[in-house]
Amino acid sequence: MNERCERSGLPEETLRIIDDERMSSWKYLLPAGPSSSVLLLAETLGSAPMSLARSFGRVTVAGLEKNLASELETLSRGRGIDNIVVVCDDPSGASGRFDVIIISAGMIKDPGGLASLVSICDGRLAPGGHVFFLGSRRSSGMSAGRASSAWKALGWQVDCVYSFLPSEDDYKLIVPTRPFSVFRSGLKMHNTLTVASSIKKTGVKLLGALGLLESVMPAYGVAVSKGASDGFAEGGWLSEYLSAKLGHGRFRMIIHNASPGEGAKAILKLVTNSGSALAYVKIADNRVRGIFIENEYRTLVRLEGVSLKTASVPTLAGFDIVNGHYILILKASDEGFAANIRSMDATVTDFLIELFERTSSVKKLEETLFWAQTQKALYEFSSGPYGPAYGWLSDIAFGLMERLKGESFPFGMVHRDFVGWNIKRMSDSRLYVMDWEWARPEHIPFQDFFHFILLTEWANSGKSVETILRESFFSGKTKYSSLLRRYASALDIPIEKSYDFLLLYLAEWTAFHITQITEARQWATQALDFLGKAGSGKIYTEDRWLKGI
């Protein structure tokens, strides 16, 4: 245990959570600003107090036991945070009026407990203020569904329920008041912003966007969220920049998609007053996220010189770095879309074959960019904080690379996020493939083939990674066996090598995602379990693989 943990008396994991801003990224959904007063009713010490205090004005924390309250006061002083007021045990001891009140699910064991806390809210909520209930599947208190019903039974209107994944848990943020105006549709102001209906209730799609857009559209803030207007006022450098870049003076910006993380990223859909799509804009607020947007730009430039018969890709309209923000502008497609892609079939396989054929060259593994990039990433992973626990993962990857070293294979462009939601089937049966941020120009074969099957089925079926792989490739001939052989044959790769490339893909991809605090970490944890069994040489062997395919 390090000295810091001994001095505080808290476990090291608790201290890590306390300082992890990403664990409380839901704060961007709160209609609050730097001068707002916030009351947090909680029984455990997590990331919320410190995170809220860094963004808002006075933060009062009530409900903690005395020892935890003392720890919070000590830790906040040590971090130079002086705007936290701690009230021990009884939440009714919190004084004053608050713009935002947050109730943690752990405070409520039954509807009766909720009723007592609601009475606290009634007496302490400032005019125009909001109450939020934060719960999860795993919390010891009331579930999100029960809480929503209980609020309604007490005469409150429940307007929005946002769900998001700040870690491996499934959190729900219930808003038991009227919704703030940024979420309304039908905005009519000049270059205003609203939210696409498909992501209206999914907080993970909004967290990064609201935090990012606050900096580029200065009208966002408490005044707007409390009903001063029905949306964002016109102005802001982003609006002016896009108007000049596109030569179009009036449009509406819709948050089409977004993601939180280390830095923030949003995808905006620009729509004319007549309702027609003008363009899509990807924007990131720092280099951590921006390099992926820049990588998509470079990939699409490369693909401009590749004639694909089986698919179309987005058309570039511009790329810039403005005020520290990475901005990629894509023309709105006029293609007719018939449906999203939900399973691997011959059309998808033929696209992957064509993409690889048009962009690949035959080389030895150790002569490729993949070798250099993966070696560097694995060394960094094994020497980092996850190395002691997952060092064997790097050993598997290095062993596979040594095993394939000296052999020649085609290495070409891969998408690396080739999943059903990034692909649409067009009316002429060709594919429209989007979101090339993770693409690599010289990568291993089979990567996109395996990734599509695993991630698409994992997201749609709820099955584990191990179950999907066992049913798809280790249980006799399946619907994927002939497609895998078709892919290998077209690229002139011995089918038995597909087993090594499966394990290499899993090891390389998992080494990155196991470190992320997103839903991808859950997938990576399951992939680790499979790799451990495959590495033992007892269950998922190469012989069993070849019999299955």
Side-chain angles (χ1 to χ4, degrees):
M1 181 179 290
N2 62 39
E3 294 180 3
R4 184 179 168 196
C5 295
E6 291 177 352
R7 288 200 305 270
S8 72
L10 292 174
E12 186 173 3
E13 178 67 10
T14 301
L15 285 172
R16 184 189 67 79
I17 291 173
I18 286 172
D19 288 319
D20 194 337
E21 280 285 316
R22 293 172 294 180
M23 297 292 286
S24 290
S25 55
W26 46 264
K27 69 182 179 180
Y28 289 118
L29 290 173
L30 303 178
S35 62
S36 298
S37 57
V38 178
L39 172 60
L40 173 64
L41 305 178
E43 64 173 2
T44 58
L45 188 55
S47 64
M50 301 287 188
S51 183
L52 293 171
R54 292 186 182 101
S55 296
F56 308 127
R58 175 172 57 98
V59 175
T60 300
V61 183
L64 296 176
E65 295 180 358
K66 289 185 178 180
N67 63 321
L68 290 178
S70 177
E71 291 283 4
L72 177 58
E73 290 177 329
T74 300
L75 291 170
S76 59
R77 283 197 301 269
R79 288 156 176 74
I81 297 174
D82 59 4
N83 59 329
I84 295 180
V85 178
V86 182
V87 178
C88 294
D89 296 323
D90 187 3
S92 63
S95 60
R97 295 269 181 170
F98 300 90
D99 300 303
V100 173
I101 298 177
I102 304 167
I103 302 176
S104 173
M107 295 289 292
I108 307 169
K109 309 302 181 184
D110 54 56
L114 177 61
S116 65
L117 290 176
V118 167
S119 65
I120 295 175
C121 297
D122 283 332
R124 290 166 178 77
L125 192 62
H130 293 73
V131 178
F132 290 78
F133 173 90
L134 184 65
S136 77
R137 288 184 304 193
R138 302 180 187 176
S139 59
S140 59
M142 186 179 290
S143 68
R146 288 182 62 211
S148 182
S149 299
W151 278 105
K152 292 177 181 177
L154 291 170
W156 286 64
Q157 177 185 353
V158 176
D159 293 298
C160 302
V161 178
Y162 304 100
S163 64
F164 52 98
L165 288 157
S167 62
E168 294 178 9
D169 211 342
D170 180 15
Y171 282 73
K172 303 285 184 182
L173 193 66
I174 298 174
V175 188
T177 56
R178 61 185 296 274
F180 43 106
S181 58
V182 65
F183 298 114
R184 292 183 185 176
S185 59
L187 306 184
K188 298 179 180 179
M189 300 176 66
H190 173 63
N191 294 0
T192 53
L193 179 72
T194 185
V195 177
S197 59
S198 62
I199 63 169
K200 197 171 184 179
K201 293 186 177 181
T202 309
V204 73
K205 304 297 187 183
L206 301 173
L207 299 175
L210 296 185
L212 181 153
L213 294 170
E214 182 173 13
S215 68
V216 299
M217 300 193 72
Y220 174 69
V222 177
V224 173
S225 65
K226 289 186 175 180
S229 66
D230 264 349
F232 289 83
E234 62 182 89
W237 67 262
L238 178 62
S239 172
E240 296 171 359
Y241 166 80
L242 292 174
S243 291
K245 194 74 175 178
L246 295 169
H248 204 287
R250 302 182 70 84
F251 50 81
R252 186 158 56 97
M253 290 185 279
I254 300 173
I255 302 176
H256 185 69
N257 209 331
S259 60
E262 191 174 354
K265 182 188 78 175
I267 303 175
L268 306 178
K269 181 180 181 180
L270 308 189
V271 180
T272 65
N273 288 340
S274 64
S276 59
L278 181 63
Y280 288 89
V281 178
K282 288 190 174 186
I283 177 171
D285 65 358
N286 67 12
R287 179 166 172 77
V288 173
R289 303 301 292 270
I291 56 175
F292 296 103
I293 290 178
E294 184 173 6
N295 184 61
E296 179 167 15
Y297 163 70
R298 296 184 185 282
T299 300
L300 292 176
V301 169
R302 290 189 183 98
L303 287 173
E304 286 179 341
V306 179
S307 177
L308 295 172
K309 296 180 180 179
T310 56
S312 290
V313 299
T315 302
L316 286 169
F319 172 79
D320 273 316
I321 302 176
V322 184
N323 295 335
H325 291 69
Y326 289 68
I327 303 172
L328 176 67
I329 307 174
L330 303 172
K331 293 181 181 178
S333 174
D334 56 3
E335 305 277 5
F337 298 126
N340 288 335
I341 305 296
R342 296 184 63 86
S343 62
M344 177 65 74
D345 59 19
T347 304
V348 177
T349 304
D350 287 345
F351 162 71
L352 294 177
I353 292 170
E354 183 186 26
L355 176 66
F356 220 75
E357 285 179 334
R358 298 292 177 88
T359 62
S360 66
S361 59
V362 177
K363 292 183 177 182
K364 293 180 179 179
L365 177 63
E366 62 271 25
E367 298 172 346
T368 64
L369 283 173
F370 171 83
W371 174 276
Q373 292 167 337
T374 304
Q375 291 262 338
K376 180 176 182 293
L378 289 172
Y379 279 123
E380 290 175 350
F381 173 77
S382 58
S383 62
Y386 288 85
Y390 302 117
W392 58 269
L393 177 61
S394 296
D395 293 340
I396 288 177
F398 283 130
L400 287 164
M401 293 174 74
E402 284 298 318
R403 178 173 168 174
L404 294 168
K405 184 178 178 181
E407 296 189 59
S408 296
F409 303 98
F411 292 88
M413 181 176 289
V414 296
H415 187 284
R416 292 183 77 239
D417 196 14
F418 193 71
V419 287
W421 49 91
N422 284 333
I423 313 161
K424 294 183 181 295
R425 196 181 302 279
M426 297 186 292
S427 54
D428 62 1
S429 296
R430 293 184 307 128
L431 305 180
Y432 185 78
V433 184
M434 307 169 287
D435 202 1
W436 292 81
E437 293 182 17
W438 290 86
R440 291 276 175 84
E442 192 175 73
H443 211 70
I444 57 173
F446 298 100
Q447 160 105 20
D448 285 342
F449 185 91
F450 292 135
H451 193 74
F452 180 93
I453 293 171
L454 275 175
L455 267 292
T456 304
E457 289 213 12
W458 184 77
N460 292 332
S461 70
K463 297 178 181 178
S464 70
V465 169
E466 180 182 357
T467 299
I468 294 169
L469 285 170
R470 184 180 65 249
E471 293 178 352
S472 300
F473 301 110
F474 290 92
S475 300
K477 296 296 188 292
T478 69
K479 62 180 178 180
Y480 299 127
S481 301
S482 62
L483 296 175
L484 179 62
R485 289 182 174 276
R486 178 177 183 157
Y487 180 94
S489 176
L491 298 178
D492 197 23
I493 302 172
I495 190 63
E496 59 268 21
K497 295 299 180 182
S498 61
Y499 177 78
D500 289 335
F501 282 120
L502 168 69
L503 298 186
L504 185 54
Y505 145 65
L506 286 174
E508 185 259 343
W509 195 248
T510 301
F512 174 78
H513 282 92
I514 197 67
T515 66
Q516 305 301 299
I517 303 182
T518 66
E519 62 270 31
R521 184 176 180 180
Q522 188 178 24
W523 178 91
T525 302
Q526 294 177 12
L528 273 177
D529 186 48
F530 172 84
L531 281 167
K533 294 176 180 178
S536 70
K538 297 179 180 179
I539 303 177
Y540 299 109
T541 63
E542 183 176 356
D543 286 343
R544 187 177 172 188
W545 169 267
L546 293 175
K547 290 177 182 178
I549 61 173

